[in-house]
Amino acid sequence: MPLPETRGTSYLARLRRLPARQLAMLGALALAVVAANIRQPFPEIAPLQHIPTVILLLAAPVLLDRFPLTDRSVLALTAFFLLHTLAGRYTYSNVPYDDWARALTGHDISRTFGVARNEFDRLVHFSFGLLWVGPFAELVRRHAGMSPKAAIWMAFLFVGAISALYEIFEWLLTMTVSPDLAADYNGQQGDPWDSQKDMAMAIVGAATAGVSLWWRRERR
């Protein structure tokens, strides 16, 4: 017979304890995930893209109750997952940003910058580094007692480690599923250096965020 939940520690209680702004951010992300799967153009690959986001959304009330973050940090994380959700709808490689740019300006981005592949995945990897350093630094500073300098450095290392682990995961996926499914998920688009470039973009984003955080701290 399961033990009754301790008062105030149930999932719903934790959900209600979230700050209103953070609850609104999580709600907006949940709506974005639902919208991204309406008339999904790539139904075979969509679950691999969106299931991790759904799991994190469900876990967010527990995690944020146990390890509170400021609204600024939750906003940064939400912005990253919104970008990932948009990219996941189109399997990254097919995000029609050139069509959107032509509709708005009459010019496409690829021709303007002379690129031959869809570069939206590079933007998301850069955003991972840029948007995760602040929240992770806050997390280890507030809940692990690290100094601001050590927290920024640890956040930079975290981005590098997670980027490498993700590329290893993509390699393992390639080895275990059908080649077509792996190619659609990985989005290499024929670039043999795709993994290295993705990690480099994340590290550049993390370095940009780290320097910005340190500069703002020094100014204060």
Side-chain angles (χ1 to χ4, degrees):
M1 184 176 185
L3 294 173
E5 292 185 36
T6 304
R7 186 178 180 182
T9 60
S10 70
Y11 185 85
L12 289 178
R14 288 167 169 166
L15 188 65
R16 287 194 294 267
R17 281 202 295 261
L18 285 178
R21 290 179 181 175
Q22 297 184 16
L23 190 59
M25 293 175 205
L26 296 178
L29 179 57
L31 288 175
V33 173
V34 171
N37 286 280
I38 295 174
R39 301 177 67 179
Q40 167 57 240
F42 305 96
E44 299 84 5
I45 198 69
L48 283 173
Q49 301 287 357
H50 297 296
I51 285 176
T53 305
V54 172
I55 292 172
L56 283 171
L57 267 172
L58 292 174
V62 176
L63 294 174
L64 289 173
D65 185 66
R66 177 66 181 84
F67 304 105
L69 292 172
T70 60
D71 289 350
R72 182 193 295 269
S73 288
V74 175
L75 178 60
L77 295 174
T78 302
F80 169 76
F81 281 108
L82 285 171
L83 271 175
H84 169 69
T85 298
L86 173 63
R89 175 174 173 80
Y90 300 100
T91 70
Y92 276 82
S93 301
N94 299 290
V95 177
Y97 58 77
D98 280 330
D99 294 340
W100 300 336
R102 278 193 295 269
L104 289 172
T105 68
H107 303 280
D108 64 65
I109 295 172
S110 296
R111 185 172 300 175
T112 300
F113 291 96
V115 295
R117 71 187 295 279
N118 191 299
E119 297 288 345
F120 203 82
D121 61 333
R122 304 278 192 251
L123 172 64
V124 178
H125 281 278
F126 175 80
S127 298
F128 172 65
L130 187 71
L131 296 173
W132 275 75
V133 161
F136 192 85
E138 180 189 331
L139 180 71
V140 297
R141 191 174 65 251
R142 293 179 62 181
H143 302 293
M146 286 191 174
S147 68
K149 183 177 181 180
I152 293 171
W153 179 241
M154 184 62 68
F156 177 80
L157 295 178
F158 166 81
V159 167
I162 294 299
S163 296
L165 288 172
Y166 182 77
E167 297 303 328
I168 292 171
F169 165 75
E170 287 191 335
W171 167 64
L172 292 174
L173 185 71
T174 302
M175 302 293 290
T176 56
V177 303
S178 67
D180 290 341
L181 182 62
D184 288 340
Y185 182 82
N186 292 348
Q188 288 180 298
Q189 302 180 64
D191 185 352
W193 304 107
D194 179 69
S195 296
Q196 289 84 351
K197 291 176 182 177
D198 287 347
M199 288 187 287
M201 291 302 295
I203 289 170
V204 170
T208 302
V211 169
S212 176
L213 284 173
W214 184 255
W215 180 73
R216 289 204 305 267
R217 181 181 179 278
E218 289 298 302
R219 285 192 65 187
R220 289 197 298 269

